[in-house]
Amino acid sequence: MLCQFPPSSHNLAVRSPSRNSPKEFFRELLENAEKSLNDMFVRTYGMLYMQNSEVFQDLFTELKRYYTGGNVNLEEMLNDFWARLLERMFQLINPQYHFSEDYLECVSKYTDQLKPFGDVPRKLKIQVTRAFIAARTFVQGLTVGREVANRVSKVSPTPGCIRALMKMLYCPYCRGLPTVRPCNNYCLNVMKGCLANQADLDTEWNLFIDAMLLVAERLEGPFNIESVMDPIDVKISEAIMNMQENSMQVSAKVFQGCGQPKPAPALRSARSAPENFNTRFRPYNPEERPTTAAGTSLDRLVTDIKEKLKLSKKVWSALPYTICKDESVTAGTSNEEECWNGHSKARYLPEIMNDGLTNQINNPEVDVDITRPDTFIRQQIMALRVMTNKLKNAYNGNDVNFQDTSDESSGSGSGSGCMDDVCPTEFEFVTTEAPAVDPDRREVDSSATQLGHSLLSGSLVCVVLALPRLCR
């Protein structure tokens, strides 16, 4: 049984630190928004809010559940929140009446028709749905990318790869040339044969990175969850003010549609609408946007991730170049005459193979069966393809279906976060240009170096273990 590559210690762009990571950032953002609303409403409405606080607590509970992968329909959940708030408000502004459960259900049916909260519910629905869809999918994409990289780094080398590595790294010692290192091009053909299946990840990986970058732009712009959640307490309070100002008209239309309610007992009817509802809040100032306790805003966080994502493009096809340019592995490109070519100390003459499995049919150094692709790596390609489609949907504000990071077949759904003409009608997939790459792929080295070292060190371990058997 072949040994596996050891767990990778590489630092691909999709691997973010636990502190200041998007997942923790968004969770903290939700908690801060809930605390801010609770503090403001307790201070403003006092006991009235505390008696009805479960309406608001349920809102944030469902938002958290959606973000963590729960089966939550955002639009239905928000509609339910405003309907419940209307029921509570309607009772508070009409304390002289007694309302049965059936009557309150009738009241909630008038939410869309009467628009008692003004235009706040419609605008907030657009902002919340598209922001949460983008945020949740972006974090899911980071998780999938990290898992794919970690899984691929543990793929076992083939017997043909182990033999080729042993010949490249150890045969110079047998020939009395211990100081002569392999030719660069010789190393490239060996590593392209060893990493043929990994190179096939490149196309789907690059599409995945492009989709991640586009969703990141949404998070920086119209789908910015931070700019939605920070002032949500002020927006809900404005909706309550709208309800208070239009209370007479709303009540009259409800009484006309649902019938005249029964009078309440004398003690209750003596109470009037709370004066606290007349309290106004100062306008929200975007410049006062708070940062999380970790000291970072969403814009800075996303910008940092975008830069790392860009560096990880073409990382899989760059691996052979990254490994073979290492001075501890090869003689380098400047010493093509005084290097080990697999047979002697001389120039390496065979041409360099192209990337990918099918191009290794004539690889002179590694026996590669191009008719048997690695099924495990093909599974990772499919995982990237599925995630890319989810990212495309999120880019357009459409919800995606998953319950957690490991269940691809689960179903949820919030419909579209786009209404009217807020979002584009179709996905316009504009790929980003990869950095200019010279023959030794220097631009992608910063993302591929550590991954390449992990793969090479794993190969060396396998070679050492196989050496006694293969040299008999």
Side-chain angles (χ1 to χ4, degrees):
M1 179 178 178
L2 292 174
C3 59
Q4 288 188 327
F5 290 120
S8 171
S9 60
H10 60 84
N11 184 27
L12 281 178
V14 293
R15 190 171 192 176
S16 54
S18 58
R19 187 181 180 188
N20 295 352
S21 68
K23 185 175 182 179
E24 295 302 319
F25 179 92
F26 293 141
R27 181 182 289 111
E28 186 178 352
L29 187 66
L30 276 172
E31 292 173 353
N32 288 343
E34 182 177 13
K35 184 178 184 300
S36 176
L37 183 143
N38 184 71
D39 292 345
M40 174 185 284
F41 280 33
V42 166
R43 188 170 60 250
T44 305
Y45 301 122
M47 188 58 66
L48 285 174
Y49 166 72
M50 296 173 68
Q51 291 172 345
N52 298 278
S53 61
E54 73 275 7
V55 175
F56 304 91
Q57 292 170 357
D58 290 347
L59 169 66
F60 284 97
T61 297
E62 290 299 286
L63 287 174
K64 292 175 186 176
R65 194 162 72 88
Y66 173 84
Y67 172 70
T68 55
N71 187 1
V72 178
N73 186 304
L74 284 176
E75 292 188 10
E76 290 181 3
M77 182 272 292
L78 290 169
N79 289 339
D80 182 63
F81 165 74
W82 291 113
R84 291 179 65 193
L85 185 59
L86 175 59
E87 292 178 11
R88 301 297 179 96
M89 287 285 298
F90 194 76
Q91 294 177 79
L92 290 172
I93 63 177
N94 293 286
Q96 67 275 28
Y97 295 108
H98 169 73
F99 300 101
S100 65
E101 291 296 326
D102 291 340
Y103 196 97
L104 291 175
E105 185 177 348
C106 178
V107 171
S108 66
K109 294 178 180 179
Y110 280 82
T111 306
D112 292 335
Q113 180 180 340
L114 298 178
K115 300 187 185 305
F117 300 110
D119 205 32
V120 174
R122 185 189 70 85
K123 291 181 178 179
L124 199 60
K125 182 191 295 184
I126 296 173
Q127 295 168 347
V128 167
T129 51
R130 67 186 186 181
F132 271 77
I133 289 167
R136 184 172 82 161
T137 310
F138 187 72
V139 171
Q140 175 76 357
L142 290 173
T143 301
V144 169
R146 182 182 65 246
E147 290 176 349
V148 167
N150 287 338
R151 289 168 182 166
V152 172
S153 71
K154 299 174 185 177
V155 172
S156 300
T158 64
C161 172
I162 292 176
R163 285 192 294 269
L165 283 170
M166 186 190 71
K167 178 181 176 182
M168 181 179 79
L169 298 172
Y170 288 93
C171 283
Y173 292 87
C174 304
R175 298 294 179 88
L177 302 171
T179 61
V180 178
R181 292 175 181 169
C183 299
N184 183 74
N185 290 352
Y186 173 35
C187 174
L188 285 176
N189 274 345
V190 171
M191 297 314 301
K192 287 198 175 196
C194 286
L195 301 174
N197 283 284
Q198 285 85 339
D200 285 344
L201 278 163
D202 230 36
T203 299
E204 204 61 50
W205 178 269
N206 292 338
L207 292 174
F208 162 73
I209 294 298
D210 284 327
M212 285 289 293
L213 290 171
L214 287 176
V215 174
E217 291 178 4
R218 289 296 205 203
L219 287 173
E220 290 178 316
F223 294 12
N224 190 312
I225 192 173
E226 191 174 24
S227 63
V228 171
M229 294 308 298
D230 282 346
I232 196 170
D233 49 0
V234 177
K235 292 178 180 179
I236 293 176
S237 74
E238 289 176 356
I240 293 175
M241 294 303 108
N242 289 332
M243 173 70 180
Q244 173 68 6
E245 291 175 353
N246 300 318
S247 60
M248 294 183 64
Q249 298 95 313
V250 170
S251 297
K253 291 181 179 179
V254 169
F255 294 158
Q256 182 179 0
C258 297
Q260 192 69 20
K262 297 179 181 179
L267 180 63
R268 182 180 175 186
S269 63
R271 295 182 298 180
S272 59
E275 294 183 359
N276 277 343
F277 281 135
N278 293 319
T279 303
R280 282 285 185 183
F281 298 101
R282 62 187 175 84
Y284 173 72
N285 184 359
E287 295 180 358
E288 298 176 5
R289 177 189 299 177
T291 58
T292 65
T296 179
S297 71
L298 179 63
D299 293 338
R300 291 192 292 272
L301 184 64
V302 172
T303 297
D304 180 58
I305 294 174
K306 281 173 61 180
E307 292 305 312
K308 294 177 181 177
L309 287 170
K310 291 175 183 177
L311 288 175
S312 73
K313 289 195 70 172
K314 294 193 174 183
V315 66
W316 301 106
S317 59
L319 281 175
Y321 296 89
T322 304
I323 293 172
C324 295
K325 73 172 294 183
D326 192 322
E327 294 180 354
S328 65
V329 178
T330 69
T333 56
S334 61
N335 192 11
E336 296 181 356
E337 300 293 340
E338 302 290 321
C339 58
W340 173 251
N341 65 8
H343 302 281
S344 62
K345 182 182 176 181
R347 175 183 288 270
Y348 182 76
L349 298 177
E351 65 175 342
I352 300 175
M353 298 293 100
N354 290 324
D355 301 320
L357 182 64
T358 57
N359 290 315
Q360 307 310 310
I361 187 171
N362 294 317
N363 191 308
E365 310 304 335
V366 185
D367 293 330
V368 181
D369 187 351
I370 66 170
T371 65
R372 298 182 62 184
D374 188 290
T375 56
F376 184 77
I377 289 182
R378 263 53 196 177
Q379 290 172 0
Q380 307 314 306
I381 292 175
M382 182 56 65
L384 289 172
R385 188 170 298 156
V386 170
M387 192 65 239
T388 299
N389 287 333
K390 291 179 180 179
L391 289 162
K392 289 179 180 180
N393 282 319
Y395 175 82
N396 286 329
N398 299 321
D399 205 356
V400 289
N401 299 320
F402 55 83
Q403 288 185 329
D404 55 49
T405 58
S406 61
D407 186 358
E408 294 293 345
S409 62
S410 61
S412 67
S414 298
S416 171
C418 303
M419 300 179 184
D420 302 327
D421 295 321
V422 177
C423 298
T425 56
E426 62 182 73
F427 182 80
E428 297 177 0
F429 196 67
V430 183
T431 58
T432 58
E433 290 294 328
V437 180
D438 60 15
D440 62 357
R441 312 281 181 100
R442 278 192 282 269
E443 289 297 330
V444 294
D445 283 347
S446 59
S447 290
T449 299
Q450 292 185 359
L451 177 57
H453 288 167
S454 174
L455 292 170
L456 181 59
S457 63
S459 299
L460 290 173
V461 171
C462 294
V463 167
V464 171
L465 293 176
L467 188 59
R469 184 179 75 251
L470 295 174
C471 289
R472 288 173 184 168

